[in-house]
């Protein structure tokens, strides 16, 4: 079948957020501030880890990659949403929509795999502290990041190629502020059985398996602490795992609310609102969580300020 028969639409219409027209300006300013906070906050984390030699450890190596992923993840949807609100337009080209879907899946999966790598790092640090330098070698850290990129790219590519073969003849209106994969599949006039099967199986595995690995890691961490209960041990575990647990709870809480308990057709607004939390709010909160609840990050930030003060 020729390409022009596969997709008769040249663009999609994004209905955006469920807000009143007179409130567009206020929300546009709010989301712009959130997006800039996300970018600058995560860039600050990357800069601190780069400049402070005390942060050149596996945990902060993964954190720097997570910060970079969060910047990219928010940039996939944020700028287009802001531009549509500012220009009061709703259109996105077919190619732009497919590209946005690919990068959205890529960075969402990458977030999940990086959080899993961080959980494994905490498991080794607390459950096998004497073997930590040997197990969490530089080679293993690089390997975990590379594997995360490969698996995320493979899933995003499969989902995008299957999406590109669908026809969109009946409608081109998406009740969303970005090109969500599930929304696009529902909009198609083609047989979407294969797409839905792949989304259900591969998509679930990519999200569920890392989540299970995180739960298992923290189960072992909890068991290790309970076997040798002490106030010092509990405080150490909370100081090293508290920030990561907070991010995991926000990330997977949003995913469970969005995909495991989907809304009915009459309550699509809830899905859009949860997606804002998932794509904009959580990446913005990560720098605050890791800086305010982490003594090493606060110490590195203080060193940067002191250096600036002495150089003046």
């Amino acid at each position: 079948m020729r390409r022009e028969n596969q997709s008769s639409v040249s663009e999609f219409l994004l209905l955006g957020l469920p807000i009143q027209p007179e409130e567009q300006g206020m929300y546009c300013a709010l989301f712009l501030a959130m997006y800039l906070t996300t970018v600058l906050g995560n860039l600050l984390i990357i800069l601190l880890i780069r400049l402070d030699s005390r942060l050149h450890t596996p945990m902060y190596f993964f954190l720097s990659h997570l910060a970079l992923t969060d910047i990219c993840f928010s940039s996939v949807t944020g700028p287009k949403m802001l531009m549509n609100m500012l220009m009061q337009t709703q259109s996105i080209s077919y190619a732009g929509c497919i590209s946005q879907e690919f990068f959205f899946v890529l960075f969402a999966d990458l977030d999940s795999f990086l959080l899993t790598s961080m959980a494994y790092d905490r498991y080794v640090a607390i459950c096998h502290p004497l073997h930590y330098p040997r197990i969490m070698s530089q080679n293993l850290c690089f390997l975990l990041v590379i594997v995360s990129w490969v698996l995320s790219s493979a899933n995003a590519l499969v989902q995008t190629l299957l999406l590109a073969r669908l026809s969109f003849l009946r409608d081109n209106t998406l009740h969303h502020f970005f090109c969500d994969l599930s929304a696009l599949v529902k909009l198609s006039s083609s047989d979407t059985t294969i797409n839905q099967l792949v989304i259900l199986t591969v998509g679930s595995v990519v999200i569920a398996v890392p989540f299970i690995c995180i739960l298992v890691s923290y189960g072992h961490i909890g068991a290790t602490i309970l076997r040798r209960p002490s106030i010092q041990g509990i405080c150490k575990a909370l100081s090293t795992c508290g920030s990561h647990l907070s991010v995991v709870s926000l990330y997977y809480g949003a995913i469970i609310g969005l995909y495991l308990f989907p809304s009915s057709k009459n309550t699509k607004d809830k899905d859009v609102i949860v997606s804002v939390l998932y794509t904009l709010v959580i990446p913005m909160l990560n720098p605050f969580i890791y800086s305010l609840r982490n003594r090493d990050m606060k110490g590195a930030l203080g060193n940067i300020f002191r250096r600036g003060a002495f150089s003046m």
Side-chain angles (χ1 to χ4, degrees), residues 259-304:
Y259 294 109
L260 296 188
F261 300 101
S263 302
S264 64
K265 292 183 179 180
N266 295 326
T267 55
K268 292 179 181 178
D269 289 353
K270 185 214 104 176
D271 288 346
V272 177
I273 294 172
V274 174
S275 295
V276 172
L277 172 68
Y278 177 48
T279 60
L280 292 176
V281 177
I282 294 177
M284 179 193 69
L285 292 177
N286 285 356
F288 294 101
I289 293 173
Y290 280 107
S291 59
L292 295 178
R293 300 192 58 176
N294 190 296
R295 288 183 299 176
D296 294 335
M297 293 297 294
K298 288 189 287 187
L301 186 61
N303 289 337
I304 295 296

Side-chain angles (χ1 to χ4, degrees), residues 11-26:
E11 63 179 21
F12 291 95
L13 296 180
L14 301 174
L15 295 187
L17 300 171
I19 56 180
Q20 298 299 321
E22 60 271 16
E23 299 175 341
Q24 289 273 357
M26 179 184 68

